[in-house]
Structure formats: C-alpha cells, structure tokens
Amino acid sequence: MFIGALLRVREFAIAAAIVIFGAVLGVITPYFLTTGNLTALVIGLVPVTLITIGQVIVLISGGLDLSVGAVMAASGTIVGLLMLHGLSPVAAVALSLLFGVAVGLVNGLIVTRAGVSPLIATLGMMTIVRGVGLVFTEGFSVTGLTPGFAYWGQARILGLPPMVWVTLVLLIVFDLALRLTRSFRQIYYIGGNERAARLSGIPVDRVRVFTYIGSAGLSALAGVFLASRLMSGTPTAGNGLELTSIAASVIGGASLLGGEGTVLGAFLGAFLLAMVSNASVILGVSIYWQGILTGVILIVVVTLDMVLRRREGRGWGVQAAASASTRDVNQTTPVGRT
C-alpha cells in the first residue's frame, strides 16, 4: 500500500520508470551504463533542462512559450557574433542574456496587455527570432570564438562541465521556490483560477510577464552554454525543443490548462525523453523514429494520467457521497436517539 501511494506521486512514478528503463537498457546493451555514455547524457541534457524549467513555470501559470528553441539558437549566435566583433566573453554573455530577457518581456506584454493568445504570440515570436538569427548569419554557424569562453562547456569540475553544476543549482532553486515561496506559489493560483487570483489581489499580469521573462532568460542561458560547449553559435539549433520541453513538462505532471506541475517532475520527464533518445542512438534506431517514440510516450503517459485521475475522482466522489449520506442521517436522527 505504501509503494502504491508513493507511485501515485508523479515524481516517484517517473523516477521508478527511469530506473527500470535504465536497468533494461543496461541488460540489452553494455554501452548504456558506461561512464562515458552517462556523462554525455547528462551534458547533453543541460539545454533541455534549462528550457524545460522555464516552460513548466509558464505552463503552470496557464500560458505557453513556443519561442524557447528559437531564443536558445539566437542567443548562442549573438554571443558568438559579439565576441567576433571584439567584445569580451563577459560582455557578450551579458548582452545575450539581456536579449533573452527582452524577448520574454515582449512575449509577456503581448499576452497580458494586448490579450493575444500565448500560442499565437510566442509562435510569432519564434518565427521572428529564428529569422533574426538566420539574417545575421545567412544560415552559417558562427565559429572562431574566444578560447576562454569554452570554460563553461568544456572545463571539468568533479568530472562534469561547470554548466552542469550551474543547471543543477538552478533546478533546485526553482523547484524549492515553487514549493515554498509565496511569490512563486502565486503562479499556481493564477493558473488554477485567474479570476479568483485577481480578486484576491494577486498582480496577475505582472506575474505572468515574469514567467515569460524567466522562460526566455533560461532559454538564452541554454544558448550560451551550448555555444560554449560547441564553441560555435548555430542559428538553426534547438528546432523542436519547444515541443520537447512541453512534452517533458506534461509527462512530469504539468497540465496544459495551468495550475499543476513541478520543476522536478518536468526535469524527470526531460530525463526520460533524453534516455529514449540516447538509447535509440546506441541501439542504432533511425533518428526519424525518435520523434515517433517521443509522441507515443507522451500520449501513453497522459492517457494513463487521465485514467488515474478519473478513477481517483470517482473514488473521491464515492467517499464524498458516503460522507454526505452519513451526515444527512445524523442530521435527521433526533438527539439522544440511538
């Protein structure tokens, strides 16, 4: 019973699935559980994790951000171009992150002030930002970056690049902030019931703009880290990451209707999808099958989640009816009569 209750918590269920899936892969192929492969898996997960953290927060607020992949690619390209024009790595990174924040601010203002659907607003922004990167580079990758810039993506601290540790810290900070701090808890209230949130005095528009700024800022940071690891900025990088981050968030327990989800759950969803992708490469499965596998996993997980929620809903309904019946009987029974 304890294990059953534990598995009803989404994070524990996904973690159990990851452990079982990893054990099965370890039996099927001896290469999966090697240090080199696991290290490559963790390093490759950094951009997806950062983008998924921002995406799940936007989803919890009831929004959606389709511009994350384009912002990541443009930021990596911008940081490269700025260094090629003589700026120091610190100044180039700062301006690249500022670009991401500006994109998020515009997204937030379009959604909250103009009342445009998040789907349309961020879809349009995705096209614009992707186009900006292509215009400045004509589709070519930016190479020849300052050697010191490689520190974040290629140096080693305890066997892993510094960008992995920075991502881990951000993951913990944002997860705890959503669970424990009053400011971040307001995001759940807005996603769960926007009207009630407004009536209770929560600055709904301001909080929503903040979520889009955070999402774009983290996407820009992902672009900087990717450029540092590859020592190049690629304007076409990150295609499909917006859907991957949404899939990871939903697998991790987020609702597309808002009000539900956790950063930890979304990360575990991203980790599970990364394992599927990694296993596909090791087993020689065509890269074109990876999208199909991701879609199948997403549909199966969401379907199971809906079935379990309906069963729990019926369970709660039966309990509520039983409680109401008992209450009615007690109310109609005269005092002192047994």
Side-chain angles (χ1 to χ4, degrees):
M1 180 176 293
F2 173 73
I3 295 177
L6 202 61
L7 290 177
R8 279 196 288 273
V9 178
R10 179 63 70 90
E11 289 93 339
F12 284 103
I14 302 175
I18 289 173
V19 171
I20 294 172
F21 188 43
V24 171
L25 289 175
V27 172
I28 294 176
T29 170
Y31 301 107
F32 180 75
L33 293 179
T34 60
T35 303
N37 183 59
L38 293 179
T39 302
L41 176 65
V42 171
I43 293 174
L45 196 59
V46 167
V48 181
T49 299
L50 290 171
I51 288 177
T52 302
I53 291 172
Q55 186 73 264
V56 73
I57 292 175
V58 174
L59 287 174
I60 292 170
S61 74
L64 183 71
D65 191 353
L66 295 181
S67 66
V68 288
V71 172
M72 185 193 80
S75 299
T77 305
I78 289 172
V79 76
L81 287 173
L82 291 175
M83 277 190 278
L84 290 182
H85 283 78
L87 267 70
S88 67
V90 174
V93 169
L95 290 175
S96 182
L97 296 179
L98 187 61
F99 164 78
V101 169
V103 171
L105 177 62
V106 173
N107 276 337
L109 292 177
I110 293 175
V111 171
T112 57
R113 299 299 173 88
V116 177
S117 162
L119 175 67
I120 303 301
T122 58
L123 180 63
M125 185 59 71
M126 177 185 75
T127 307
I128 294 171
V129 172
R130 184 74 71 182
V132 169
L134 291 172
V135 166
F136 281 105
T137 63
E138 297 183 348
F140 294 101
S141 296
V142 179
T143 58
L145 310 186
T146 306
F149 179 61
Y151 171 78
W152 294 102
Q154 297 184 9
R156 288 291 186 273
I157 298 176
L158 299 177
L160 293 171
M163 66 177 188
V164 173
W165 300 112
V166 173
T167 302
L168 179 62
V169 170
L170 290 174
L171 176 70
I172 295 172
V173 168
F174 277 100
D175 186 73
L176 292 178
L178 271 177
R179 295 175 190 271
L180 303 176
T181 67
R182 181 181 177 185
S183 300
F184 277 80
R185 295 293 298 175
Q186 291 179 344
I187 299 173
Y188 284 101
Y189 304 146
I190 294 171
N193 191 327
E194 179 180 340
R195 186 168 181 272
R198 288 187 187 277
L199 292 174
S200 62
I202 295 175
V204 173
D205 291 346
R206 191 189 312 165
V207 174
R208 278 205 164 134
V209 170
F210 165 77
T211 63
Y212 283 101
I213 290 176
S215 176
L218 288 170
S219 300
L221 182 60
V224 170
F225 282 159
L226 183 64
S228 175
R229 181 166 71 91
L230 303 178
M231 284 303 282
S232 68
T234 304
T236 56
N239 272 322
L241 273 185
E242 56 278 348
L243 296 182
T244 301
S245 62
I246 293 171
S249 301
V250 173
I251 290 173
S255 169
L256 294 178
L257 300 177
E260 296 181 30
T262 64
V263 170
L264 177 60
F267 165 71
L268 292 174
F271 195 93
L272 182 61
L273 293 177
M275 284 181 66
V276 172
S277 177
N278 181 268
S280 301
V281 174
I282 292 177
L283 297 175
V285 178
S286 169
I287 192 173
Y288 300 112
W289 279 95
Q290 294 181 19
I292 298 175
L293 290 173
T294 302
V296 169
I297 291 173
L298 176 62
I299 292 174
V300 169
V301 170
V302 173
T303 303
L304 286 174
D305 181 58
M306 293 302 295
V307 171
L308 290 174
R309 289 183 187 224
R310 286 174 183 170
R311 289 181 60 184
E312 289 178 357
R314 282 200 293 270
W316 278 106
V318 171
Q319 291 180 10
S323 300
S325 175
T326 303
R327 186 171 61 249
D328 292 342
V329 169
N330 291 335
Q331 287 176 348
T332 55
T333 302
V335 176
R337 181 178 175 180
T338 60

